[in-house]
């Protein structure tokens, strides 16, 4: 890293042990403009900051700032809030070092605030989510001087201490490999390798295979609990439609089109202005071959109707669809075809509908009064179009209860093993930070299992949180890409 400017360093669990010792070394080096200590306890963090300052003789001459930000790795909400707070103090692209040092060991059995076993939540999921959100990754080691075993039974800890002291490293030895990786040029390091004693540790062939299998399984499991599979959105791909979109979530692939037609009616309710049709490609999935696929497609279409059939949805935009009340109005026919089904179709459909409606262009027309209270619809001399404002259009999130956990974005094989899923339609407001603006427009339960009231409340809260992040991520990308010839884009989920 010596070839690049060193600015911000972030160390989790930096109030004791190896994290504190590393912070002292980095502070003394003066290579960073700021070192952020991510800790659970503010009092311990402030004491650590004082200890770090005292470890340097001429502290007044140091230009490195020491900052504390609260972080509880066992809580998904805490990790997400930490990243928001960190981004406020760290300029974009200025995080040069992330050390995932915090961890616990020997803690009595306990579930995290998200219902996950406390060791797995703290040592793996928390850092997994933090790293993905910050798009950085460093791997700490086990050394003497950490407080990993502070929750271990006192008698066992007393017996183990002499062995740990004999076989493990002291703090200076413990941070030596970290400092080696921090200070070495990128060209001298091998990405994705395990470093031990300042060199790459080569694993035996069988151990490499087992390591990859376990790593992949842990990664997939963590991804299910913290984020969506990769999401790809493409708009404006069908020339004959008023609007179109194609969305992919993992291997799930859905194509949508919107066709606007003028109609007349005496019942100008919202459901008359949006028509949803869903079909399954013959090759989408063998699970839905024949009649079963058609019935499932009809259920998906009904869920879209339920989410959008509400007078609070897109009120101002929908008013423009009604040309001469109560007779003439635009009908938007939204057709979706599932090209490939690998789970989470409902989320893909709702994202695709919103993207296709965003892309939809509707022709401006002139309404002239005629005899007997009727109206004439004409085209202006210069053809022009207008677009719907779909910012607050609902998204539908599928949340499934597995054990004590509420998970999302299941693939097809995982869906086949679940029996408690809620489809939750949620309309978002203009303010990303204000949860009070969220409005649940529909709730639909699928599967035969019962859902307890506490579990349902948790699932609804998670769905609301996910929908808010998806909505703002989607809208930002659609608006940024609007007008570009190449509209294909990938956007990350924001948990």
């Amino acid at each position: 890293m010596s070839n690049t400017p060193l600015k911000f360093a972030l160390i989790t669990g930096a109030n004791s042990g190896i994290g504190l010792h590393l912070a002292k070394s980095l502070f003394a080096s003066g290579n960073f403009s700021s070192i952020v200590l991510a800790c659970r306890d503010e009092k311990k963090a402030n004491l650590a900051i004082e200890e770090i300052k005292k470890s340097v003789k001429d502290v007044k001459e140091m230009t490195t700032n020491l900052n504390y930000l609260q972080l509880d790795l066992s809580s998904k909400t805490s990790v997400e809030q930490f990243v928001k707070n960190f981004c406020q103090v760290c300029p974009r692209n200025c995080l040069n070092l992330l050390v995932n040092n915090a961890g616990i060991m020997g803690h009595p059995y306990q579930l995290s605030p998200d219902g996950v076993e406390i060791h797995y939540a703290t040592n793996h999921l928390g850092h997994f989510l933090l790293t993905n959100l910050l798009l950085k990754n460093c791997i700490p080691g086990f050394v003497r001087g950490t407080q990993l075993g502070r929750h271990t039974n006192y008698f066992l800890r007393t017996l183990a201490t002499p062995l740990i002291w004999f076989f493990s490293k002291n703090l200076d030895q413990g941070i030596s490999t970290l400092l080696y990786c921090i200070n070495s040029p990128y060209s001298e390091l091998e990405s994705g390798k395990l470093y031990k004693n300042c060199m790459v540790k080569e694993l035996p062939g069988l151990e490499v295979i087992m390591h990859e299998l376990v790593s992949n399984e842990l990664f997939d499991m963590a991804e299910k609990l913290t984020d969506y599979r990769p999401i790809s959105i493409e708009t404006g791909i069908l020339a004959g439609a008023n609007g179109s979109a194609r969305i992919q979530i993992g291997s799930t692939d859905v194509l949508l089109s919107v066709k606007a037609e003028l109609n007349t009616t005496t019942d100008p309710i919202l459901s008359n202005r949006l028509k949803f049709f869903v079909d399954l490609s013959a090759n989408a999935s063998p699970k839905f071959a024949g009649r079963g696929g058609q019935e499932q497609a009809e259920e998906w279409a009904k869920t879209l109707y339920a989410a959008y059939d509400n007078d609070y949805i897109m009120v101002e935009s929908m008013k423009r669809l009604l040309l001469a009340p109560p007779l003439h109005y635009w009908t938007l026919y939204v057709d979706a075809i599932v090209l490939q089904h690998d789970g989470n179709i409902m989320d893909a459909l709702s994202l695709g509908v919103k993207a296709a409606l965003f892309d939809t262009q509707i022709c401006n027309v002139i309404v002239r009064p005629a005899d007997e209270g009727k109206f004439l619809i004409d085209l202006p001399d210069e053809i022009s179009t207008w677009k719907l404002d779909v910012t607050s259009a609902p998204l539908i999130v599928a949340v499934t209860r597995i054990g004590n956990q509420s998970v999302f974005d299941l693939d097809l094989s995982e869906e086949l093993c679940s029996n408690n899923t809620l489809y939750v339609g949620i309309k978002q407001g203009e303010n990303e930070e204000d949860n009070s603006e969220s409005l649940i427009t529909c709730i639909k339960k699928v599967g035969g299992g019962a859902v307890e009231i506490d579990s349902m409340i948790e699932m609804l809260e998670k769905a609301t949180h996910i929908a808010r992040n998806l909505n703002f991520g989607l809208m930002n990308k659609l608006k940024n890409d609007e007008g570009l010839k190449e509209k294909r884009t990938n956007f990350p989920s924001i948990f």
Side-chain angles (χ1 to χ4, degrees):
M1 293 185 64
S2 58
N3 292 337
T4 59
L6 299 180
K7 296 180 180 179
F8 273 72
L10 170 58
I11 308 173
T12 66
N15 59 280
S16 64
I18 191 173
L20 175 58
H21 203 63
L22 178 63
K24 290 179 181 179
S25 178
L26 297 181
F27 182 71
S29 72
N31 290 330
F32 292 89
S33 58
S34 183
I35 300 174
V36 177
L37 282 63
C39 311
R40 284 184 299 180
D41 191 293
E42 181 177 3
K43 182 178 179 180
K44 292 181 179 179
N46 288 330
L47 290 174
I49 289 176
E50 292 302 317
E51 184 176 341
I52 294 171
K53 291 179 178 179
K54 290 179 181 179
S55 67
V56 178
K57 292 183 179 180
D58 300 323
V59 67
K60 293 183 179 180
E61 298 181 3
M62 301 300 297
T63 59
T64 301
N65 295 318
L66 291 170
N67 299 300
Y68 154 75
L69 288 177
Q70 200 279 334
L71 172 63
D72 180 2
L73 285 163
S74 69
S75 168
K76 185 172 181 287
T77 301
S78 176
V79 175
E80 292 168 344
Q81 185 59 50
F82 170 85
V83 172
K84 289 183 179 180
N85 295 338
F86 180 79
C87 290
Q88 291 177 357
V89 299
C90 177
R92 188 172 181 83
N93 298 325
C94 288
L95 175 59
N96 295 97
L97 175 65
L98 168 63
V99 181
N100 287 328
N101 165 77
I104 60 173
M105 185 178 72
H107 195 290
Y109 177 77
Q110 180 182 335
L111 295 179
S112 73
D114 302 306
V116 182
E117 196 279 323
I118 195 69
H119 290 87
Y120 181 56
T122 303
N123 298 346
H124 181 66
L125 284 183
H127 279 135
F128 180 91
L129 178 59
L130 175 66
T131 301
N132 277 289
L133 292 177
L134 295 173
L135 300 179
K136 299 290 181 180
N137 185 30
C138 294
I139 303 176
F142 173 74
V143 297
R144 189 182 80 224
T146 73
Q147 291 192 353
L148 278 172
R150 60 186 175 276
H151 298 290
T152 306
N153 178 276
Y154 176 78
F155 178 70
L156 294 176
R157 194 168 53 197
T158 302
L159 290 177
T161 296
L163 294 175
I164 294 175
W165 187 266
F166 182 78
F167 288 106
S168 63
K169 303 175 180 179
N170 60 37
L171 290 172
D172 287 331
Q173 294 169 332
I175 67 171
S176 62
T177 301
L178 284 172
L179 292 175
Y180 169 78
C181 293
I182 291 170
N183 295 317
S184 297
Y186 285 129
S187 58
E188 296 180 8
L189 298 175
E190 296 184 56
S191 178
K193 295 291 186 178
L194 173 64
Y195 277 79
K196 181 179 180 180
N197 297 327
C198 300
M199 63 181 67
V200 174
K201 177 177 173 56
E202 299 293 344
L203 300 175
L206 180 60
E207 192 171 338
V208 170
I209 296 174
M210 293 301 297
H211 173 75
E212 290 181 353
L213 289 174
V214 173
S215 296
N216 290 337
E217 186 172 347
L218 280 172
F219 185 92
D220 291 341
M221 188 183 302
E223 194 173 49
K224 294 299 178 189
L225 293 172
T226 60
D227 205 353
Y228 274 68
R229 291 169 290 174
I231 300 177
S232 174
I233 294 283
E234 185 179 5
T235 58
I237 56 176
L238 298 177
N242 291 82
S244 59
R246 183 176 183 179
I247 178 166
Q248 294 171 297
I249 301 181
S251 298
T252 292
D253 193 354
V254 181
L255 178 65
L256 302 100
S257 67
V258 180
K259 192 71 174 178
E261 292 186 4
L262 276 172
N263 288 295
T264 59
T265 184
T266 57
D267 185 20
I269 61 174
L270 179 61
S271 59
N272 277 338
R273 287 174 257 173
L274 282 174
K275 304 287 187 181
F276 295 100
F277 302 92
V278 181
D279 196 8
L280 277 161
S281 165
N283 299 319
S285 171
K287 176 180 182 291
F288 297 113
R291 181 65 184 171
Q294 181 179 345
E295 292 176 351
Q296 180 63 73
E298 290 174 355
E299 288 301 314
W300 288 328
K302 290 179 181 178
T303 305
L304 289 170
Y305 268 117
Y308 276 84
D309 191 11
N310 190 306
D311 287 337
Y312 292 102
I313 306 302
M314 299 191 301
V315 174
E316 294 303 319
S317 291
M318 286 301 176
K319 285 181 180 178
R320 293 194 64 180
L321 293 177
L322 193 59
L323 300 177
L327 298 176
H328 301 279
Y329 69 101
W330 286 105
T331 299
L332 302 183
Y333 294 92
V334 183
D335 290 279
I337 180 168
V338 179
L339 303 176
Q340 180 69 34
H341 182 9
D342 189 29
N344 204 15
I345 289 292
M346 202 67 256
D347 290 39
L349 284 171
S350 74
L351 285 166
V353 166
K354 189 156 185 167
L357 289 175
F358 177 89
D359 185 60
T360 297
Q361 299 189 51
I362 302 171
C363 186
N364 281 310
V365 296
I366 299 174
V367 181
R368 294 191 177 95
D371 296 335
E372 299 179 358
K374 296 183 179 180
F375 296 87
L376 294 177
I377 308 296
D378 290 329
L379 291 175
D381 294 334
E382 294 185 6
I383 303 298
S384 60
T385 60
W386 62 278
K387 300 181 70 173
L388 291 167
D389 179 8
V390 298
T391 303
S392 60
L395 287 176
I396 301 173
V397 176
V399 182
T400 300
R401 192 72 175 175
I402 299 179
N404 293 322
Q405 303 167 22
S406 297
V407 297
F408 51 92
D409 189 30
L410 301 184
D411 61 31
L412 186 57
S413 61
E414 292 166 333
E415 286 184 353
L416 295 175
C417 300
S418 62
N419 60 357
N420 284 326
T421 299
L422 290 183
Y423 292 156
V424 186
I426 302 166
K427 167 190 174 293
Q428 297 298 329
E430 298 291 338
N431 185 0
E432 181 179 3
E433 303 297 331
D434 189 358
N435 289 335
S436 64
E437 293 188 6
S438 299
L439 174 69
I440 295 179
T441 63
C442 77
I443 302 174
K444 182 176 182 179
K445 180 182 174 298
V446 293
V451 181
E452 296 181 355
I453 185 64
D454 291 342
S455 298
M456 179 172 289
I457 292 173
E458 180 187 332
M459 294 168 77
L460 294 177
E461 290 176 347
K462 174 159 284 191
T464 301
H465 174 75
I466 294 170
R468 184 178 71 251
N469 289 335
L470 282 177
N471 184 65
F472 282 91
L474 174 65
M475 292 307 302
N476 285 337
K477 279 298 181 182
L478 290 175
K479 291 176 181 178
N480 289 338
D481 295 341
E482 188 175 16
L484 298 179
K485 290 183 179 180
E486 180 59 47
K487 293 188 176 182
R488 188 172 185 84
T489 180
N490 293 286
F491 70 94
S493 309
I494 46 328
F495 303 104

